[in-house]
Amino acid sequence: MASSISDRKRKRGGGGGDGRVFRFKTFGEQGNPAEFDGRCFLENLRQLLDYGHFEGNDVCFRGFPCWSFVLEVNRQPPVHVVLLVIEEPFDPSSLGQGCKPCLFVGWGQHLICNSKYHFLLPSLSKESLSKESLSKESRLTHLDEPTPHMPSTTRVERVDLTETRKHVMHGVFHSNGFGHLLWINGLGSGSDLHGHRIMGLWDRLCTGLRARKVSLCDVSQKRGMELRLLHGLAYGNPWFGRWGYQFFRGSFGITLPVYKTALEAIQTVPLSLLMNDLGNSSREFQYIFSSYNEGILLETSCRWSRKRVDLAIRVIVEALRKAEFRWVSRQEVRDAARAYIGDTGLLDFVLKSLGNHMVGHFLVRRCLNPVTKVLEYCLEDMSKEPNSNNLNTVRTRPTITRIHILKDLFYLYGYLFKEQYLGANRSIIGSLQIAARIILDAKHLVKEYEQDLPSKVDIGLGAKLMIFCTVLLKDCTVKPVLPYECIVLKDNATVNDLKAEVERRFRELYFGLRSFVAESLAAKGPEMLFGLVEVGRRLVIEGSCNYPQGSVANEMLEWGEANYRVVDCGCGAAEDDGERMIACDICEVMQHSRCVRIPDCEELPHIFLCKRCEEEITLLSNLA
């Protein structure tokens, strides 16, 4: 098997053991600390680790090789965090237990890589950064003293890779450059770092190391509210979209067109229809609605002065008050107001824009009469003093603080999108809840960091050939599509040199290609490559591996035939998407428990039959 990075000769304290502390804000950028001039992820990673402090096998509880970097978050007061990079070589005994993030995002047919590299900002960062904690006993096994290159306020503790959700950040890369952001914890989760600063660090690392594609499962929350729903409705994309992550795969068969339609459906719902659907069931909602909608009349550009608009508003409201809070048609209101305002254009403008707005302590309600199909208006007193006659202000806008915004947002989120608040006769809100469920099921996001392959050699390479190669296995039922690797050779390289370099590179990357032998090429033997192969060209090189017949699939793919579960769910899902599933005890086909009406709060039954098998059994029993 190809050697791992940890097999390279390193001394404890080497590389980053010179006492260097790196700035958190710029770590991962070009030249901070490495130049990142490698043509693939693995080469750039090696350059980065040359600046790290090799911790040996003491930090990770499984005994994997580990490197550490001290990052300065603040200079005054001094605050530092430790970034750990842990190399996890592939364990052949774990065949059949593929990478679940790869499976859930649809990369189950990728070849198994020789190594994974975990990037961690360990948990308990506040405790480990405080001077007082250095004198206290820790429940975790840790180094007896800070290593020489670390500030006196930091300490590397033994970390557990299985406790992903406890770390401030946990991302993992396969050695071929595909990666997964498993978890981040911002301020709301007990960390001392903002979420956007953690994401900035992760994004710089992915860019600098030349990652190919990186996935994440967006389950981020803000005070118990799903952030992908809130941010999606406000900005049209999830919070992670700020760094270029986009919809890649939805759970429960959700596709990109369906996701976009659900976003648009909620964003374009007229607030007037929503208010009508609510009826009189929520005065709190009506008050919140009016608090965040400036009067039409003050913000909309129009040809009338503010004074004339305010006068028309007061006249219309007074006309509605004389109607004793009953519903009256638009024409009735208009005719009553014309006794005081002769400009019918102004009255039409105000009537058109005034619906469902606050005027003083009154809410002007507007709806379409379902029988006559005529617009009707009425007033609703929102004050605690029914006899109050204050109409001097167009609307009373309370002072809105951050606390008020969060409180109102939490109330609206629960009222509009939580099923327990919905009534059977609320068609609009019911539709909103269905659309919200679709948005929440769009969890799997991916960012493609790999740019188009360059068409020519950079000047810095000098007189060298750069060729992009992938391999194709002969006489194999499994035909994995591998990403192209950049092969750089001297200008006097031969075809045999190219084959040798391709063999070395792909053996180093993939466990299933550890005995790969390159065979066919357009030219053979010791012929010179220069003139035969165009610089920047893409080549597919056929070859073979010495495996017993039938064992290739299980040894090569993250999720081969041996551990592949058949999914055929009524929602349209044909692959495992990470949601809770249940298998039929007869045909063993998997379905989502939610789709077969098993609530998430209930345990899965010990015996389960899918609808098809149940119908077949019923049919056979009737025939008997």
Side-chain angles (χ1 to χ4, degrees), residues 419-463:
E419 188 174 0
Q420 59 266 30
Y421 289 97
L422 303 181
N425 60 339
R426 296 176 183 170
S427 58
I428 299 296
I429 299 181
S431 300
L432 291 182
Q433 198 273 338
I434 294 174
R437 185 70 266 170
I438 293 174
I439 298 172
L440 292 175
D441 289 337
K443 297 178 181 179
H444 298 289
L445 313 178
V446 167
K447 178 176 180 179
E448 295 190 23
Y449 285 89
E450 185 180 42
Q451 303 298 322
D452 292 336
L453 298 179
S455 58
K456 60 182 180 179
V457 181
D458 293 343
I459 298 176
L461 289 176

Side-chain angles (χ1 to χ4, degrees), residues 469-515:
C469 299
T470 188
V471 301
L472 179 64
L473 296 179
K474 297 168 56 178
D475 303 325
C476 179
T477 56
V478 178
K479 301 291 184 182
V481 179
L482 300 177
Y484 283 85
E485 296 294 332
C486 179
I487 306 298
V488 180
L489 300 169
K490 296 181 180 180
D491 58 350
N492 60 350
T494 66
V495 173
N496 286 339
D497 294 332
L498 174 60
K499 289 183 177 180
E501 182 61 20
V502 169
E503 290 176 357
R504 184 196 66 81
R505 176 68 64 83
F506 283 87
R507 288 176 180 180
E508 180 183 44
L509 290 177
Y510 300 103
F511 175 77
L513 301 182
R514 59 194 182 277
S515 62

Side-chain angles (χ1 to χ4, degrees), residues 160-341:
D160 188 345
L161 295 179
T162 63
E163 297 181 344
T164 293
R165 300 191 177 190
K166 293 185 178 180
H167 299 301
V168 176
M169 183 191 80
H170 187 181
V172 61
F173 292 103
H174 300 277
S175 55
N176 63 353
F178 284 84
H180 314 282
L181 178 57
L182 302 180
W183 202 261
I184 63 169
N185 281 314
L187 290 178
S189 303
S191 169
D192 54 347
L193 290 173
H194 288 275
H196 66 87
R197 300 191 70 180
I198 303 172
M199 275 302 301
L201 171 65
W202 173 253
D203 192 59
R204 291 193 301 272
L205 288 169
C206 293
T207 302
L209 295 172
R210 292 182 66 89
R212 297 183 186 274
K213 295 181 181 180
V214 177
S215 75
L216 61 87
C217 182
D218 184 4
V219 292
S220 54
Q221 294 187 349
K222 190 73 172 181
R223 297 182 181 271
M225 298 177 287
E226 302 289 349
L227 193 55
R228 62 188 180 280
L229 175 58
L230 296 179
H231 205 277
L233 295 178
Y235 301 101
N237 53 66
W239 181 75
F240 293 98
R242 298 168 59 182
W243 293 272
Y245 287 84
Q246 300 178 352
F247 175 95
F248 187 78
R249 188 187 191 191
S251 301
F252 300 99
I254 301 300
T255 61
L256 180 58
V258 173
Y259 169 70
K260 289 184 175 180
T261 300
L263 277 177
E264 184 179 358
I266 300 181
Q267 291 172 332
T268 58
V269 170
L271 293 178
S272 58
L273 293 180
L274 185 59
M275 292 289 290
N276 294 336
D277 202 50
L278 287 167
N280 297 321
S281 61
S282 178
R283 293 171 62 89
E284 181 73 16
F285 179 87
Q286 296 167 343
Y287 179 75
I288 293 174
F289 169 80
S290 63
S291 299
Y292 292 90
N293 286 272
E294 287 288 352
I296 58 164
L297 330 173
L298 303 179
E299 293 186 352
T300 305
S301 58
C302 62
R303 66 176 184 267
W304 296 279
S305 66
R306 176 171 177 171
K307 183 177 180 180
R308 293 192 64 193
V309 170
D310 288 349
L311 176 61
I313 292 172
R314 287 193 290 271
V315 169
I316 290 174
V317 172
E318 187 60 34
L320 291 173
R321 288 188 65 192
K322 291 180 179 179
E324 298 180 350
F325 300 100
R326 64 181 176 85
W327 288 93
V328 295
S329 68
R330 176 183 178 278
Q331 189 62 43
E332 289 182 68
V333 179
R334 187 172 182 265
D335 292 342
R338 284 191 63 185
Y340 303 92
I341 303 293

